[in-house]
Amino acid sequence: MFTSIIAILLLLFWFSLPSPLFKTPTSYVIEDDQGELLNASIARDGQWRFPTTDTIPEKFIKCITTYEDKRFYYHPGFDPLAMLRALKLNLSNKRTVSGASTITMQVIRLSRNKNRTLWQKIVEIVLAFRMELSYSKNEILALYAGNAPFGGNVVGLDAASWRYFGRDAAQLSWAETAMLAVLPNSPALVHPGKNRTLLLKKRNALLTQLLQNQVIDKNTAQLAMLEPVSQQPLPLPQDAPHLLNRFKSDFPTLKLKSTRLRTTVQSALQKNVTALLKRHHQQFKANGINNAAALILDVETGNTLAYVGNVYDPGDAEMESYVDVINALRSPGSTLKPLLYASMLHDGLLLPNSLVPDIPVQIGGYTPQNYDLGYDGAIPASRALSRSLNIPAVKMLQQYKYERFHQLLKKAGIQSLNKPADYYGLSMILGGCEVSMWELSGAYASMARTLNHYSRYKEKYNASDYHPPLYMNASKPLEESLSTSTVMDYGSLFYTFQAMQEVMRPGEELLWEQFNSSKKIAWKTGTSFGFRDGWAIGVTPYYVVCVWVGNADGEGRPELTGIQTAAPILFDIFDLLPKNNEFTVPYQDLIQVTVCRQSGFRAGEFCSNTQTTYMPAASMKSPLCSYHQLIHLDRSGKYRVSSACESPENMQHVNWFVLPPAMEYYYKIRHRDYQTLPPFSPACLNEQENYRPMELIYPKNNAKIYIPLEIDGVRGKVIFNAAHRNPDSKIYWSVDREFITTTTDFHQIAITPSNGLHVITLVDDQGNTLQQRFEVLDKEKK
């Protein structure tokens, strides 16, 4: 029976200590990559209480044990000698003038938060003894330092150090540490900012005791006593407020034990980028542009080096600076074009310099336009990317298929496209979707990371190279998952970044000369519809920098373009970063291909001007040049002929570069050396049956047209445009068999057709006929 009672008592004793000991909420705290405080938020109960750390500064240990518990390292949780001394003093003074609580007992008292009756003091002694059996002395000190009151709503050494001195506890002087050591003993009485004389007296008394114990020397003690005590609490650092909010939002899914996080952010870089954004923001605000954000990633790891989610000014409500733009979904403008270019290279649908159409186009009622409202007729794909031309991008996506591109973007890490591909359609490539800076930067970093690993994996690819950005170090490295297949191959990525490095950027990027730099940066700008978002993203083998400028509420502003607002910030940020090497040419992933110089396609049998160069591995799947034809001329070389109207021995056989009429119409304006096809010989007019001398530029066949009302309420006109290979030809226009007009040289008419289906007919002076259908939409009908 007695044994059972003892066993029960021992069990009660062993399980008497709560676990965890403290259940009070703590502040969310983020630190930089070196452990320096970036930002913190007040805890749910209104206290500044940082999570407990295992590392306590040696100065504080010396100060607190000297002041509170001289025999801390020798007693079992309670100090019998201190109890006898306190009992003697209290009896002789007939009142309580001294306590005997050890640091361990104070930890128990802080965790229980109950009135200190005699019974509660006995319970504290028992629990303190029990605590010493499970916790080391350093762990007990850490619990004390993390939960002791330091005046006002400041709890814990770390919070007190930052609130009273603006720096980490490990960086405090002896005087500052001693001041903090005396505060928990009577935090309400000696709150910094009041009762400063009493606080100074207590601090100096502790310094004197440290001198007597030979913890510090005489000079240190004298100098420490000359230091003033802290006055009012200081504001905590606000260097990454948006990253702090992101951490708070992500915390439930991170499975972390502590609300303190050491991030990958570099504090000095974070501050410099913040200051840089503020400086540029002063200019933007004059144009009604309130917000800007910047993100810097390390390519190899995907770690976040700087995270400035917005220009932070909480005092100005109009700025909406609390919005974290890095995590917000915005229209990406043209920033997805490089991914399409790389994907088409990867699949062998084009070569880096293959000609793509740049002519007026209408696709299912969708009419994209270039930024400068001009047309090149045909342009190399790489130059279309560097100039950020919209029409070639839409034509490329039409060829690649938007459903396929939708899936590719998800594989690249852009998961925000949560609607079906049909919802976005072809406009996806011009910003007709929403992505975040976080995902977009992660996709570019994954592309650069993959290319960087060319030498490591040779002919294989690591699927783990495609992963989202990180702002905390991964608990374990990503496992290698090698395969011969990938999202985008080495060669395609290399040529994409090469195209993005082109400095000749007319069109949207007219101001390229301002950013001509010795650093080789692959960069792209973007501007959303309505001038609501200005983007710039840049890539090097080591860094990805993404910049956004605009208004958080979505308001568009004149001149809010990526090139005018975001690009200057992008290059200023790259000036803060170390200069690095260019991307390595992945020669083992390239093959030698004979290419037609004029068209950029694989050379066909009629391409006379060719070159052999290195191309992505899939290039052999790309089509042969279709723009070069073998034509037959008469002896004079002025007319085309055939065997039906000319003897073969009198013919000249010539390779000729021929574009379709609509492409030719614009191409020859910009390329004066372009030679149009010679006309057929009068003796060979019957040979023109399969010859297309003219083409309707607008409208295309089966186009749907909406004609708006003018300001005066009168129905407007629609402009029809045609191209003819022979500049001297006349074109006779008819709509629904009703003759309209005749045009020469410049084949363009303005008409107002009625609602409904129509047939337009074009006949030239040689009798060639072109007939197409179009429909004028009725606004009143759905």
Side-chain angles (χ1 to χ4, degrees):
M1 181 69 177
F2 180 74
T3 304
S4 299
I5 294 174
I6 294 298
I8 291 172
L9 290 175
L10 287 174
L11 284 172
L12 290 173
F13 170 73
W14 187 255
F15 291 104
S16 61
L17 196 67
S19 180
L21 204 57
F22 290 90
K23 298 181 181 180
T24 48
T26 54
S27 300
Y28 285 91
V29 178
I30 56 172
E31 301 169 339
D32 70 1
D33 60 336
Q34 301 300 315
E36 287 294 315
L37 182 67
L38 284 173
N39 245 100
S41 66
I42 202 164
R44 290 195 312 271
D45 59 357
Q47 305 294 308
W48 286 106
R49 185 189 296 105
F50 287 11
T52 304
T53 62
D54 296 331
T55 305
I56 307 299
E58 189 64 27
K59 286 180 183 178
F60 185 76
I61 293 175
K62 295 291 186 184
C63 288
I64 199 64
T65 53
T66 300
Y67 189 74
E68 291 283 0
D69 195 348
K70 299 179 180 61
R71 287 175 288 276
F72 172 72
Y73 286 102
Y74 309 106
H75 63 63
F78 59 93
D79 188 348
L81 294 179
M83 289 180 176
L84 291 173
R85 175 185 57 79
L87 180 62
K88 181 179 178 181
L89 286 173
N90 293 339
L91 288 174
S92 63
N93 286 276
K94 297 181 180 181
R95 61 186 179 89
T96 302
V97 296
S98 176
S101 293
T102 63
I103 290 176
T104 311
M105 291 171 63
Q106 291 184 52
V107 171
I108 295 297
R109 185 178 76 247
L110 290 169
S111 69
R112 289 165 55 82
N113 195 26
K114 294 186 177 181
N115 294 327
R116 299 197 71 201
T117 63
L118 178 61
W119 170 250
Q120 291 299 332
K121 291 179 181 180
I122 295 172
V123 172
E124 287 176 11
I125 293 173
V126 174
L127 292 178
F129 177 59
R130 168 65 188 86
M131 186 178 183
E132 293 275 351
L133 298 178
S134 297
Y135 290 79
S136 68
K137 291 291 186 179
N138 284 343
E139 288 174 332
I140 293 171
L141 278 173
L143 286 170
Y144 177 83
N147 295 279
F150 284 84
N153 66 341
V154 181
V155 177
L157 174 65
D158 284 350
S161 176
W162 282 100
R163 287 289 280 161
Y164 296 144
F165 301 109
R167 56 185 181 276
D168 187 77
Q171 300 173 346
L172 299 182
S173 66
W174 278 105
E176 292 165 339
T177 305
M179 191 203 90
L180 293 182
V182 303
L183 275 180
N185 184 262
S186 185
L189 179 64
V190 289
H191 183 286
K194 63 180 180 181
N195 301 321
R196 295 178 68 249
T197 302
L198 179 57
L199 178 58
L200 185 66
K201 181 179 178 181
K202 284 180 172 287
R203 185 204 68 179
N204 289 347
L206 174 55
L207 290 170
T208 301
Q209 187 64 48
L210 292 171
L211 174 61
Q212 293 173 357
N213 294 350
Q214 298 183 346
V215 176
I216 58 177
D217 58 35
K218 185 176 181 180
N219 287 337
T220 301
Q222 289 177 343
L223 289 173
M225 290 181 188
L226 293 175
E227 290 186 32
V229 295
S230 174
Q231 298 189 26
Q232 296 298 327
L234 304 173
L236 268 65
Q238 295 283 318
D239 294 328
H242 302 95
L243 182 58
L244 175 67
N245 289 334
R246 185 183 192 117
F247 173 51
K248 291 169 67 175
S249 176
D250 293 347
F251 185 78
T253 63
L254 294 178
K255 298 180 181 179
L256 299 176
K257 295 181 179 179
S258 172
T259 56
R260 182 196 299 262
L261 178 70
R262 177 174 288 196
T263 70
T264 60
V265 170
Q266 297 178 359
S267 182
L269 184 60
Q270 175 79 9
K271 292 176 181 177
N272 286 336
V273 173
T274 300
L276 194 154
L277 277 183
K278 286 184 177 179
R279 187 170 71 248
H280 281 272
H281 178 255
Q282 296 303 315
Q283 301 173 357
F284 299 151
K285 201 170 183 183
N287 189 30
I289 302 173
N290 294 322
N291 307 104
L295 177 67
I296 305 176
L297 300 181
D298 174 79
V299 166
E300 178 59 28
T301 61
N303 289 343
T304 301
L305 305 181
Y307 188 110
V308 184
N310 209 333
V311 178
Y312 194 62
D313 186 4
D316 188 345
E318 182 184 353
M319 282 180 55
E320 297 183 279
S321 60
Y322 58 86
V323 176
D324 180 5
V325 180
I326 290 176
N327 203 33
L329 296 179
R330 308 289 304 197
S331 167
S334 298
T335 56
L336 298 180
K337 290 176 182 175
L339 281 79
L340 175 61
Y341 180 78
S343 302
M344 295 189 71
L345 293 178
H346 173 74
D347 289 343
L349 295 176
L350 54 73
L351 300 185
N353 295 314
S354 296
L355 288 179
V356 291
D358 182 24
I359 58 176
V361 63
Q362 185 183 62
I363 306 169
Y366 177 53
T367 308
Q369 290 184 320
N370 292 327
Y371 184 83
D372 60 3
L373 302 180
Y375 307 97
D376 281 69
I379 186 170
S382 60
R383 198 173 304 167
L385 175 61
S386 66
R387 286 179 54 188
S388 196
L389 297 178
N390 290 337
I391 292 174
V394 171
K395 295 292 288 184
M396 289 165 64
L397 182 58
Q398 186 182 28
Q399 180 186 0
Y400 188 77
K401 306 303 181 187
Y402 62 77
E403 299 90 348
R404 191 176 177 189
F405 188 56
H406 183 263
Q407 290 301 313
L408 178 130
L409 291 176
K410 289 191 172 183
K411 290 179 182 178
I414 299 177
Q415 303 297 325
S416 57
L417 304 178
N418 52 14
K419 292 182 173 61
D422 288 337
Y423 177 84
Y424 306 106
L426 293 174
S427 66
M428 188 189 319
I429 197 61
L430 304 184
C433 58
E434 291 186 328
V435 304
S436 67
M437 291 178 65
W438 186 252
E439 290 187 343
L440 185 67
S441 300
Y444 274 91
S446 296
M447 292 163 65
R449 186 182 307 117
T450 299
L451 182 55
N452 285 346
H453 290 169
Y454 154 73
S455 299
R456 181 186 303 179
Y457 301 128
K458 301 301 181 185
E459 297 179 355
K460 293 188 175 181
Y461 298 87
N462 183 6
S464 298
D465 281 344
Y466 281 86
H467 64 77
L470 306 169
Y471 60 85
M472 56 185 284
N473 285 313
S475 55
K476 59 180 180 179
L478 295 171
E479 295 182 2
E480 290 187 355
S481 177
L482 298 184
S483 171
T484 55
S485 62
T486 182
V487 181
M488 288 168 269
D489 65 273
Y490 298 126
S492 300
L493 292 171
F494 175 78
Y495 274 102
T496 299
F497 291 140
Q498 283 291 104
M500 293 170 65
Q501 286 179 3
E502 290 292 328
V503 294
M504 288 298 294
R505 294 170 179 261
E508 180 184 359
E509 297 169 356
L510 279 168
L511 306 179
W512 65 270
E513 291 177 333
Q514 293 185 13
F515 316 122
N516 194 7
S517 169
S518 60
K519 295 181 180 180
K520 287 292 185 180
I521 301 167
W523 61 293
K524 185 76 192 71
T525 62
T527 304
S528 67
F529 178 78
F531 302 101
R532 294 182 175 91
D533 307 89
W535 294 79
I537 188 164
V539 187
T540 69
Y542 297 152
Y543 303 105
V544 169
V545 177
C546 186
V547 177
W548 175 92
V549 177
N551 286 308
D553 61 4
E555 180 186 0
R557 299 297 300 169
E559 299 182 4
L560 204 173
T561 64
I563 194 66
Q564 291 178 303
T565 59
I569 301 175
L570 177 83
F571 282 86
D572 282 351
I573 290 176
F574 269 111
D575 285 341
L576 300 174
L577 300 172
K579 185 177 180 179
N580 49 211
N581 300 325
E582 297 182 50
F583 288 105
T584 303
V585 183
Y587 282 113
Q588 291 186 2
D589 194 58
L590 303 177
I591 59 174
Q592 286 192 318
V593 179
T594 302
V595 178
C596 175
R597 288 181 183 271
Q598 282 182 285
S599 70
F601 284 94
R602 279 198 303 137
E605 61 175 316
F606 303 126
C607 294
S608 53
N609 187 1
T610 64
Q611 64 175 346
T612 300
T613 185
Y614 284 98
M615 288 286 154
S619 296
M620 291 308 295
K621 297 189 295 184
S622 66
L624 295 173
C625 174
S626 62
Y627 294 127
H628 278 86
Q629 302 174 10
L630 180 65
I631 66 170
H632 312 290
L633 303 179
D634 64 5
R635 189 186 298 274
S636 69
K638 294 181 179 180
Y639 298 101
R640 275 184 289 164
V641 294
S642 70
S643 58
C645 57
E646 184 66 72
S647 175
E649 61 266 20
N650 293 329
M651 291 183 187
Q652 299 183 48
H653 309 290
V654 181
N655 297 333
W656 206 280
F657 178 57
V658 184
L659 293 173
M663 294 170 63
E664 179 183 89
Y665 175 78
Y666 293 99
Y667 187 85
K668 65 186 181 183
I669 296 174
R670 296 180 182 266
H671 299 81
R672 297 298 181 183
D673 57 344
Y674 178 80
Q675 294 182 329
T676 58
L677 279 171
F680 277 100
S681 168
C684 302
L685 292 180
N686 291 333
E687 298 298 315
Q688 298 191 47
E689 292 182 2
N690 298 321
Y691 169 57
R692 286 178 54 204
M694 57 184 168
E695 183 177 353
L696 259 177
I697 298 174
Y698 183 84
K700 295 299 183 183
N701 197 26
N702 295 318
K704 298 180 186 296
I705 302 171
Y706 171 68
I707 304 176
L709 297 179
E710 302 293 348
I711 296 177
D712 57 4
V714 177
R715 187 181 177 88
K717 294 181 179 294
V718 60
I719 306 297
F720 286 9
N721 195 9
H724 200 289
R725 291 192 186 278
N726 185 354
D728 298 325
S729 290
K730 294 181 179 180
I731 294 181
Y732 303 92
W733 299 71
S734 300
V735 175
D736 300 332
R737 298 184 178 181
E738 179 182 346
F739 176 74
I740 302 296
T741 188
T742 303
T743 58
T744 57
D745 299 328
F746 192 63
H747 304 294
Q748 191 174 87
I749 64 171
I751 61 175
T752 308
S754 60
N755 296 334
L757 294 171
H758 299 277
V759 176
I760 185 169
T761 305
L762 280 68
V763 181
D764 68 5
D765 48 12
Q766 299 296 320
N768 297 296
T769 302
L770 174 64
Q771 192 174 78
Q772 290 184 183
R773 297 177 179 273
F774 67 94
E775 180 182 2
V776 177
L777 300 176
D778 187 351
K779 182 182 178 181
E780 303 301 324
K781 295 182 179 180
K782 293 184 179 180

